[in-house]
């Protein structure tokens, strides 16, 4: 029977990050760690699989994520699991599970890793993508934390040399003022039913705030005259929002109020925000606004989980988007320094001695390259050249026998022989 051909393509909507691209990802991860350290966020890692109901309850049934985008699976034991579509619900779960409310509050944590959403793959949208996020959970319900989360994300983007960043900020109120506003919004949209898209007609019933972030051309026109939430904030939410803006002003954050940022997930209240950058399109002319990430306050999430009410705020950035902007703007990211020294071995005895010599170098803090699988001197010299080595160390049968080694200057070709036991100290002196 003929064997079926294996499909050698990565699964739809997923992508490999090849060795040649890793320097960008390493740089992004390094800056995430540095920003976290600067602003005292500790790392948290949660599993990639979680229970399905965590997101159904946390993110909300009437959201795109839960309705259409979750990768779900059922275990042999019948448990319903999901590949995590976002980080916040899982972090709240860990906070509850491990009693993290008993350590110093607020808890400031950050995360970075893969997330999964069953979306239609298109430019900048994947089914497996990466996010980094900063969260501040517990403690006081203070607007300063909203701004600290914005600041950490902004500093991360700046440290990666992304330009023209703006933070679009809005307040979506609380349990007191939002229902009143929703009624107003709905009565406006009811009069426009015929002018809006099919999705928005559905949203009127299950998630009216999402009417405001529809990108359909017809709906864009309708929403321009829609009532906006900040006109209807209650006194407490109004004060909270005012303070957020004052702190943002004080820090000179590049923010602007955008009444159409609503985020759409059930757990958000009060401050919501999104990060944008302006880039030119492929033809290099038109400036496009690209969403890099977003977040907001989620004071109700713990109540939704049946826990004591706990103030919290957080935001996440999409790392593929950041990597793509870095590539398209040709932002200069230093590539890892290559090793300056290359070891060449000829013959089996030299190979054996060479292996332990590499370890002696590693122990003394010098990394050296080699290509010991190759046999000829010529092939190994070529490899040393390709690697950009400054010095080559050549160990042949004769050298092993005499306990010596040749140091070759790769540029001039000048060679000298020294005692093997002195080579580590000599190289340390030279590089
Ligand atoms: P969200 O919380 O859905 O607004 O996602 C935050 C950020 O993550 C977005 O602004 C994107 O940069 C990124 N992101 C979300 N979904 C995807 C996806 N399917 N593929 C790539 N990046 C994504």
């Amino acid at each position: 029977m003929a064997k079926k051909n294996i499909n050698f393509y990565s699964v739809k909507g997923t992508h490999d990050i090849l060795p040649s691209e890793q320097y960008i990802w390493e740089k992004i991860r390094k800056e995430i760690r540095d920003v976290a350290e600067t602003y005292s966020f500790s790392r948290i890692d949660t599993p990639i699989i979680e229970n399905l109901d965590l997101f159904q309850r946390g993110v909300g049934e009437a959201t795109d994520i839960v309705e259409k985008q979750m990768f779900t699976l059922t275990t042999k034991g019948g448990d319903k699991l999901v590949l995590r579509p976002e980080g916040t619900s899982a972090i709240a779960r860990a906070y509850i599970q491990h009693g993290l409310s008993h350590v110093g509050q607020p808890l400031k944590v950050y995360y970075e890793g893969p997330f999964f959403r069953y979306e239609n793959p298109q430019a900048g949208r994947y089914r497996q993508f990466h996010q980094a996020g900063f969260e501040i959970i517990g403690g006081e319900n203070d607007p300063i934390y909203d701004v600290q989360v914005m600041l950490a994300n902004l500093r991360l983007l700046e440290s990666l040399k992304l330009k023209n960043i703006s933070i679009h900020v809005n307040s979506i109120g609380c349990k007191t003022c939002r229902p009143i506003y929703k009624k107003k919004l709905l009565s406006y949209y009811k009069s426009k039913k015929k002018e809006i898209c099919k999705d928005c007609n559905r949203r009127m019933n299950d998630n009216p705030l999402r009417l405001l972030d529809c990108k359909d051309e017809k709906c864009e026109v309708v929403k321009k005259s829609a009532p906006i939430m900040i006109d209807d904030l209650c006194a407490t939410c109004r004060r909270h929002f005012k303070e957020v803006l004052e702190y943002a002003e004080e820090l000179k954050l590049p923010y602007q109020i955008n009444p159409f940022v609503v985020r759409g997930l059930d757990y958000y209240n009060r401050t919501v925000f999104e990060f944008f950058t302006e880039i030119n399109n492929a033809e290099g002319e038109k400036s496009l606004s690209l969403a890099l990430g977003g977040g907001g306050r989620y004071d109700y999430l713990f109540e939704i989980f049946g826990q004591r009410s706990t103030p919290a705020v957080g935001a996440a950035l999409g790392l593929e988007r950041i990597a793509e902007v870095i590539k398209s703007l040709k932002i200069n990211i230093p590539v890892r320094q290559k090793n300056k020294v290359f070891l060449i071995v000829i013959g089996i005895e030299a190979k054996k001695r060479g292996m332990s010599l590499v370890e002696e170098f590693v122990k003394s803090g010098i990394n050296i390259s080699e290509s010991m699988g190759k046999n000829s001197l010529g092939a190994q010299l070529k490899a040393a050249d390709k690697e950009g080595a400054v010095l080559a160390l050549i160990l042949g049968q004769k050298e092993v026998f005499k306990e010596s080694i040749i140091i070759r200057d790769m540029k001039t070709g000048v060679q000298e022989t020294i005692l093997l036991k002195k080579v580590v100290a000599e190289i340390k002196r030279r590089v």
Side-chain angles (χ1 to χ4, degrees):
M1 199 173 75
K3 275 193 186 154
K4 198 173 157 247
N5 280 345
I6 299 175
N7 175 354
F8 286 111
Y9 287 97
S10 60
V11 170
K12 186 173 177 184
T14 69
H15 65 109
D16 302 306
I17 305 175
L18 298 175
S20 58
E21 301 163 276
Q22 287 294 340
Y23 72 100
I24 295 182
W25 287 82
E26 271 168 29
K27 171 75 175 166
I28 294 174
R29 293 195 180 105
K30 179 190 172 296
E31 294 303 338
I32 294 168
R33 278 197 305 277
D34 285 359
V35 168
E37 202 168 294
T38 306
Y39 295 109
S40 308
F41 287 83
S42 308
R43 179 156 180 134
I44 185 164
D45 288 296
T46 60
I48 278 167
I49 42 175
E50 294 277 356
N51 287 310
L52 176 63
D53 55 1
L54 184 77
F55 296 100
Q56 283 176 331
R57 294 274 291 281
V59 171
E61 297 276 6
T63 57
D64 277 357
I65 290 185
V66 170
E67 267 183 357
K68 307 186 245 176
Q69 298 178 336
M70 289 209 290
F71 274 94
T72 52
L73 56 122
T74 307
T75 64
K76 285 181 187 155
D79 293 335
K80 289 209 175 335
L81 306 181
V82 58
L83 300 184
R84 59 183 190 180
E86 58 103 42
T88 301
S89 304
I91 288 175
R93 194 262 312 134
Y95 182 90
I96 297 163
Q97 179 179 342
H98 303 288
L100 297 182
S101 59
H102 300 300
V103 298
Q105 300 291 295
L107 180 78
K108 292 173 79 178
V109 287
Y110 80 99
Y111 60 90
E112 168 261 299
F115 292 86
F116 305 83
R117 292 186 196 169
Y118 193 83
E119 319 210 43
N120 258 341
Q122 47 180 290
R125 271 207 181 273
Y126 300 93
R127 291 186 172 175
Q128 177 177 338
F129 58 98
H130 295 77
Q131 284 187 337
F134 297 89
E135 314 274 337
I136 302 183
I137 306 176
E140 313 71 20
N141 190 339
D142 197 307
I144 200 152
Y145 297 137
D146 308 34
V147 179
Q148 286 182 344
V149 167
M150 286 180 206
L151 183 69
N153 284 283
L154 176 70
R155 290 291 180 255
L156 174 59
L157 296 171
E158 286 174 346
S159 69
L160 292 163
K161 311 260 183 328
L162 268 66
K163 298 263 174 352
N164 305 321
I165 300 159
S166 54
I167 312 173
H168 291 208
V169 191
N170 191 20
S171 174
I172 53 168
C174 67
K175 278 179 189 159
T176 310
C177 50
R178 204 186 315 164
I180 301 168
Y181 167 71
K182 264 189 192 171
K183 267 195 193 141
K184 259 194 186 173
L185 186 68
L186 276 175
S187 91
Y188 170 78
Y189 269 92
K190 270 183 192 146
S191 68
K192 308 278 178 196
K193 256 183 162 175
K194 295 212 174 83
E195 297 164 47
I196 55 177
C197 72
K198 241 184 29 228
D199 274 348
C200 277
N201 267 295
R202 193 174 42 81
R203 283 180 189 131
M204 282 172 64
N205 298 321
D206 17 282
N207 198 346
L209 280 190
R210 297 251 7 239
L211 291 162
L212 294 175
D213 70 6
C214 183
K215 303 286 182 293
D216 183 283
E217 257 178 49
K218 293 183 295 214
C219 303
E220 289 270 12
V221 179
V222 172
K223 82 182 183 192
K224 272 192 187 134
S225 315
I228 58 173
M229 180 75 231
I230 44 180
D231 288 342
D232 281 311
L233 293 176
C234 63
T236 329
C237 286
R238 184 177 297 276
R239 195 166 54 242
H240 187 99
F241 194 48
K242 186 168 160 273
E243 282 179 45
V244 166
L245 300 182
E246 281 169 4
Y247 290 131
E249 196 72 43
E250 181 66 28
L251 286 166
K252 298 193 173 55
L253 300 190
Y255 79 90
Q256 60 191 75
I257 297 173
N258 180 345
F260 303 121
V261 171
V262 290
R263 301 291 295 148
L265 312 191
D266 279 6
Y267 56 60
Y268 285 121
N269 68 311
R270 290 194 177 152
T271 327
V272 285
F273 47 91
E274 282 178 355
F275 294 85
F276 289 90
T277 184
E278 300 294 320
I279 53 161
N280 288 336
N281 68 359
E283 290 78 47
E285 322 129 352
K286 213 173 124 214
S287 177
L288 295 173
S289 219
L290 182 70
L292 298 172
R297 183 159 274 288
Y298 51 95
D299 298 334
Y300 299 142
L301 181 58
F302 290 83
E303 283 173 47
I304 294 174
F305 286 156
Q307 304 287 313
R308 191 157 47 96
S309 152
T310 306
V313 54
L317 294 172
L319 304 188
E320 273 74 8
R321 299 269 168 95
I322 294 178
E324 277 153 25
V325 175
I326 289 175
K327 271 191 236 162
S328 76
L329 296 185
K330 300 196 171 58
I331 292 173
N332 186 20
I333 298 211
V335 180
R336 182 181 67 87
Q337 279 245 316
K338 288 198 172 153
N339 295 335
K340 290 187 178 145
V341 185
F342 196 100
L343 176 66
I344 293 172
V345 288
I346 303 142
I348 187 78
E349 289 310 316
K351 248 183 216 185
K352 283 185 194 158
R353 184 65 188 89
M355 275 176 52
S356 56
L357 183 62
V358 171
E359 294 313 297
E360 283 170 43
F361 273 106
V362 170
K363 270 192 198 130
S364 75
I366 301 172
N367 293 336
I368 67 173
S369 302
E370 46 73 29
S371 184
M372 289 198 237
K374 292 190 170 65
N375 288 327
S376 79
L377 174 65
Q380 290 181 68
L381 272 174
K382 231 187 200 168
D385 212 34
K386 223 172 164 187
E387 176 85 11
V390 180
L391 297 172
L393 303 175
I394 305 172
L395 195 59
Q397 301 281 50
K398 192 170 109 199
E399 284 74 28
V400 175
F401 182 70
K402 289 189 168 173
E403 294 198 3
S404 66
I405 193 163
I406 298 167
I407 303 178
R408 178 188 172 97
D409 184 313
M410 288 297 291
K411 209 165 166 193
T412 61
V414 173
Q415 300 193 163
E416 61 193 293
T417 303
I418 68 162
L419 283 177
L420 200 46
K421 66 177 183 211
K422 290 192 174 164
V423 71
V424 174
E426 178 60 21
I427 294 298
K428 216 171 185 175
R429 200 176 61 78
R430 293 203 199 178
V431 296

